[in-house]
Amino acid sequence: VYTYVPAHAHWVSELIRWSDEAKKIFESDKVRIACIGGGPGSDLVGMLKYLDERSGDMPAIFCEIADGCELWKRTWSDIGFALDLPVRLNTDYVTHCVGKPDVWSHPVQFQKSDLLSMNFFVSEIAHLGDPAWEYIEEVLKRAKPGAVLLFNDNNDSRFFQKFDEISSRIGWEALLSEAGNRKVYDPGEKK
């Protein structure tokens, strides 16, 4: 699912509500998630917000968070144990330095994920040039068939056009696109 919505990170829950395919994933007993560039946790928080607001049974969640900042690892290693959540949550944190393929080329579990997210990630790494796009391509290639991707970033064609080109070339189908709903939650963000 690709949707380009200038929004704060916690609006991932809204992206899920827009997509029948993403909502269906959370109807399973167990859900595997990969939050690419998700170190600060907004992707996971948005997904937990969605689960909290919907009716129905809560699935067990396994979330692999990949980010370049090693310091977030301490937070996410035992978040499921530290918080009293209505959902069983297990997290794993993988350090991925986008500009260093030798660091991110080691095995990860992206190929097992039902849902992947990239929330304001492409705009963070685009300044790296080719290494950024090589990383994006590798992540998308590793995903299993049928996985859903929530892509949320700045409404800037420098980010989403290249992303669309890569994803289309390797066989991803856009379920929602820039032609869909757009909201500006923070007028400063639009600028």
Side-chain angles (χ1 to χ4, degrees):
V1 175
Y2 310 140
T3 185
Y4 310 103
V5 182
H8 289 290
H10 297 289
W11 292 100
V12 168
S13 61
E14 188 163 290
L15 298 178
I16 297 167
R17 285 193 302 273
W18 287 349
S19 167
D20 290 337
E21 292 83 1
K23 288 188 287 192
K24 187 171 180 74
I25 287 171
F26 289 101
E27 294 172 6
S28 300
D29 292 337
K30 296 178 182 179
V31 178
R32 292 184 75 100
I33 298 167
C35 298
I36 315 302
S42 344
D43 305 32
L44 181 56
V45 168
M47 292 175 204
L48 293 173
K49 178 181 179 192
Y50 166 76
L51 286 171
D52 187 54
E53 293 173 346
R54 74 169 184 121
S55 60
D57 294 333
M58 294 286 194
I61 303 286
F62 175 81
C63 182
E64 183 173 35
I65 300 168
D67 198 277
C69 180
E70 181 102 15
L71 296 174
W72 288 114
K73 182 177 178 83
R74 210 173 341 172
T75 301
W76 294 112
S77 329
D78 45 289
I79 196 75
F81 182 78
L83 296 177
D84 184 22
L85 297 171
V87 62
R88 241 182 43 224
L89 175 65
N90 296 296
T91 57
D92 188 18
Y93 190 90
V94 180
T95 304
H96 277 192
C97 298
V98 173
K100 299 177 181 176
D102 58 319
V103 174
W104 57 258
S105 61
H106 59 54
V108 291
Q109 301 297 315
F110 298 163
Q111 73 278 8
K112 294 181 180 178
S113 296
D114 304 302
L115 182 72
L116 296 94
S117 67
M118 290 185 189
N119 193 33
F120 289 94
F121 176 63
V122 172
S123 57
E124 287 289 322
I125 64 167
H127 72 279
L128 296 171
D130 288 341
W133 302 117
E134 290 165 10
Y135 179 79
I136 296 294
E137 184 168 345
E138 184 61 29
V139 167
L140 296 178
K141 282 181 179 177
R142 289 184 186 186
K144 73 179 182 180
V148 173
L149 169 68
L150 298 174
F151 177 83
N152 184 37
D153 216 307
N154 294 304
N155 185 24
D156 187 323
S157 61
R158 292 175 298 164
F159 310 130
F160 66 79
Q161 282 181 346
K162 182 74 172 178
F163 183 87
D164 280 352
E165 175 190 311
I166 292 168
S167 61
S168 177
R169 180 169 32 85
I170 60 175
W172 281 80
E173 174 189 356
L175 301 174
L176 298 172
S177 71
E178 66 176 309
N181 296 321
R182 293 176 185 246
K183 290 186 179 181
V184 177
Y185 299 100
D186 177 358
E189 176 70 28
K190 184 175 180 182
K191 293 178 187 174

